[in-house]
Amino acid sequence: MEVRKYFEPETETMDRSDVEKLQMERLQWQLKRCYEESPFYQERFKKAGIKPEDVRSLEEVVHIPPVTKQELREEQLAHPPFGRYTLAACKDWGELHPSTGTTGVPVNTIWSHRDVKAIASWTARTMWNFGVRPGDIVQNAFSYGLWIAGMSTHYASQQLRCFVVPIGAAMTERQIDYLLNPGSTVLLCTPSYALHIAERLAKRGVSPNDIPLRRGCFGGEGGAEVPATREKIEKGLGIDAFDYYGLTEIGPTISSECEEKAGLHWVEDHILIEVINPDTKERCQPREVGVLVMTHLTKEALPMIRYWTNDLASLTTEKCACGRTHARSIGGILGRADDMVIYKGAKFYPIQVEKVVRSFTELSDEFRIELTTDDRRGTDICTIVVEQLEERGDVELLASHLKKGLKEELLVTPEVNIKPLGSLERTTFKAKRIVDNRKR
Ligand SMILES: [Zn+2]
């Protein structure tokens, strides 16, 4: 009988002071090699008037200017193929992974052979975190190939001695076939795809009680920690659902929820996590929401020093009820700084709309935030487009309830458009929530 609680107990439960000591040692190593071996970083450090030895504490990294995705893109175009922050020699390159960027040229990242090993090992830890154990049948419906999470969870499942079904994010009917036989016990995919699988499972007349699936972890987009979404996934598939997060420039599967479902636990021995106020560029207080900024402490190939992720979250170093001491982001990723909708003076994020829409049992899980221009006035119109599950009942009344719920959450009243079920396109990958058709 398996009684081991942690994958790497010494690392995961070490005292905070020891976590920070380890981070500082690794940070100094990384800053030194970036300064000495990368003209890209050396130029930036010199411009900011800072040397690696000036960073004497973890707090002092705030003096190093953050790196944005746009800067990486420009650097890679100016210095092909991968920019002057490529520190590993060609012979050590293991895998290439471009960003999924929907705008502009994708930014490439490389994992060295050593990085691949580290990624597999921390992913095994983040999978153990939400309860994957040797012998589990892992249905890996994360996209394989260039996208990062399919590969990392595949390597980690092997390391954990699981039986992997490497299906990727496609073939929904086959997904259901495998849930029935061999009877996968763990499902990995995006939250939107999990809801889609649940929908089709119900359509095929299969009860969640008739499949052995017991847990799932969902990443690639926010949602798993939105209470109404989590509940829908858990009920629809008959499982415990957890949140997963990673990003191309830093690494896949770098944080997951533990069985306490108390926020994303970071792999802090590999990555230094900061939460920064986007206006002042200063560090946020514990539990205050800001932009996640990340520094590679162990990455060999293309290390990032203070990468500006644009993802919003908060951070706490309070010890979790599970006993792990690595910092957590409670509530997970709260949105993208650039996904913010400004409407009639109010600011809100798609995740807030999701929270409201998914609390209505009359509505499907799909929604869009449509932005258009009022031709007469030249002002913006924001419409929340949703789908009604069954075409009966009072649509007007439903619309007015929905508007009221949205107003309470968003502090502004958008228009609503209730369409029949199936009107909005389903996705197997990241859902696109904002459709901007405004006239500029
Ligand atoms: Zn925990």
Side-chain angles (χ1 to χ4, degrees):
M1 189 67 205
E2 183 62 62
V3 286
R4 188 170 142 199
K5 187 171 178 190
Y6 309 106
F7 185 65
E8 292 161 305
E10 309 77 33
T11 310
E12 291 174 74
T13 60
M14 59 167 60
D15 285 343
R16 272 316 296 176
S17 59
D18 291 332
V19 174
E20 285 161 23
K21 203 172 140 223
L22 179 69
Q23 287 187 312
M24 193 59 208
E25 280 167 21
R26 292 181 170 179
L27 177 69
Q28 279 168 329
W29 167 80
Q30 190 67 281
L31 292 179
K32 191 164 177 288
R33 69 192 279 266
C34 285
Y35 188 81
E36 287 171 1
E37 297 167 40
S38 154
F40 172 78
Y41 280 118
Q42 199 178 84
E43 274 171 22
R44 299 175 67 82
F45 277 52
K46 282 188 171 161
K47 214 171 155 189
I50 192 166
K51 284 189 172 169
E53 55 268 32
D54 297 332
V55 179
R56 283 153 307 186
S57 69
L58 293 174
E59 287 70 36
E60 282 176 345
V61 290
V62 295
H63 302 308
I64 302 173
V67 182
T68 64
K69 190 166 187 166
Q70 186 54 28
E71 287 172 311
L72 295 181
R73 190 175 285 135
E74 286 164 12
E75 172 68 15
Q76 292 197 341
L77 286 171
H79 302 277
F82 307 123
R84 295 169 301 155
Y85 53 93
T86 310
L87 296 196
C90 306
K91 67 174 178 51
D92 297 323
W93 295 356
E95 289 182 27
L96 169 79
H97 291 278
S99 62
T100 53
T102 43
T103 51
V105 188
V107 174
N108 289 305
T109 195
I110 297 176
W111 303 346
S112 69
H113 293 291
R114 205 183 84 177
D115 294 334
V116 173
K117 261 191 173 166
I119 287 166
S121 152
W122 82 48
T123 304
R125 186 202 300 173
T126 52
M127 287 176 71
W128 190 280
N129 214 0
F130 57 82
V132 180
R133 295 292 180 268
D136 264 318
I137 304 176
V138 177
Q139 186 155 326
N140 194 0
F142 277 138
S143 185
Y144 273 75
L146 292 173
W147 198 48
I148 50 175
M151 301 306 292
S152 69
T153 46
H154 186 91
Y155 298 145
S157 299
Q158 290 178 326
Q159 193 169 327
L160 290 169
R161 299 195 63 79
C162 296
F163 178 34
V164 194
V165 183
I167 183 165
M171 305 185 288
T172 311
E173 289 308 316
R174 290 278 287 278
Q175 300 276 0
I176 293 163
D177 293 343
Y178 291 129
L179 290 177
L180 288 160
N181 183 23
S184 302
T185 54
V186 175
L187 175 67
L188 305 173
C189 61
T190 61
S192 338
Y193 197 40
L195 290 167
H196 187 45
I197 294 174
E199 241 178 47
R200 296 276 280 271
L201 190 72
K203 229 180 218 171
R204 231 162 99 171
V206 180
S207 156
N209 300 326
D210 294 339
I211 52 172
L213 196 67
R214 60 185 184 90
R215 57 194 61 211
C217 202
F218 307 103
E221 57 182 12
E225 287 190 67
V226 173
T229 305
R230 174 150 29 213
E231 201 189 318
K232 277 199 172 175
I233 296 175
E234 293 191 330
K235 275 200 181 142
L237 294 170
I239 59 170
D240 265 318
F242 302 87
D243 193 11
Y244 224 160
Y245 172 80
L247 68 167
T248 309
E249 293 75 15
I250 298 295
T253 43
I254 54 175
S255 56
S256 69
E257 280 187 293
C258 67
E259 304 207 33
E260 300 291 332
K261 296 179 186 166
L264 292 167
H265 275 281
W266 298 97
V267 288
E268 278 198 290
D269 46 332
H270 293 283
I271 297 152
L272 178 69
I273 309 287
E274 300 171 81
V275 175
I276 299 293
N277 180 315
D279 299 322
T280 64
K281 301 285 187 291
E282 281 174 22
R283 220 176 243 206
C284 290
Q285 294 299 312
R287 293 185 182 239
E288 187 190 339
V289 176
V291 172
L292 285 166
V293 172
M294 302 189 189
T295 298
H296 279 130
L297 299 174
T298 56
K299 176 98 187 267
E300 183 179 52
L302 271 72
M304 287 291 107
I305 305 292
R306 303 201 77 227
Y307 181 68
W308 186 267
T309 66
N310 243 339
D311 284 334
L312 299 165
S314 69
L315 201 67
T316 176
T317 53
E318 277 167 38
K319 189 173 174 176
C320 181
C322 72
R324 290 178 180 85
T325 51
H326 287 215
R328 283 171 295 144
S329 289
I330 296 173
I333 305 303
L334 305 170
R336 295 274 304 163
D338 47 9
D339 264 356
M340 185 169 72
V341 179
I342 302 179
Y343 185 55
K344 291 183 178 170
K347 296 173 181 174
F348 64 87
Y349 294 97
I351 204 159
Q352 292 173 272
V353 175
E354 175 177 339
K355 203 168 135 187
V356 178
V357 170
R358 295 202 173 147
S359 67
F360 279 80
T361 51
E362 303 94 325
L363 301 175
S364 84
D365 307 313
E366 283 298 322
F367 69 93
R368 295 288 183 279
I369 301 168
E370 272 182 15
L371 299 169
T372 50
T373 305
D374 182 333
D375 284 330
R376 229 157 33 89
R377 295 182 188 160
T379 50
D380 290 351
I381 303 173
C382 175
T383 308
I384 310 300
V385 187
V386 294
E387 294 177 342
Q388 193 179 11
L389 284 178
E390 287 170 50
E391 280 181 66
R392 53 187 156 90
D394 189 339
V395 181
E396 302 260 313
L397 188 68
L398 178 59
S400 97
H401 284 163
L402 180 60
K403 271 191 174 186
K404 190 162 165 272
L406 287 164
K407 191 187 176 195
E408 275 171 25
E409 175 67 32
L410 313 179
L411 308 177
V412 67
T413 314
E415 301 301 318
V416 301
N417 180 358
I418 300 177
K419 292 188 165 185
L421 185 63
S423 306
L424 297 170
E425 198 196 329
R426 299 307 195 253
T427 174
T428 61
F429 197 52
K430 297 186 189 194
K432 185 158 172 49
R433 301 298 183 197
I434 302 177
V435 183
D436 192 349
N437 290 327
R438 283 176 294 186
K439 290 173 190 152
R440 303 280 174 189

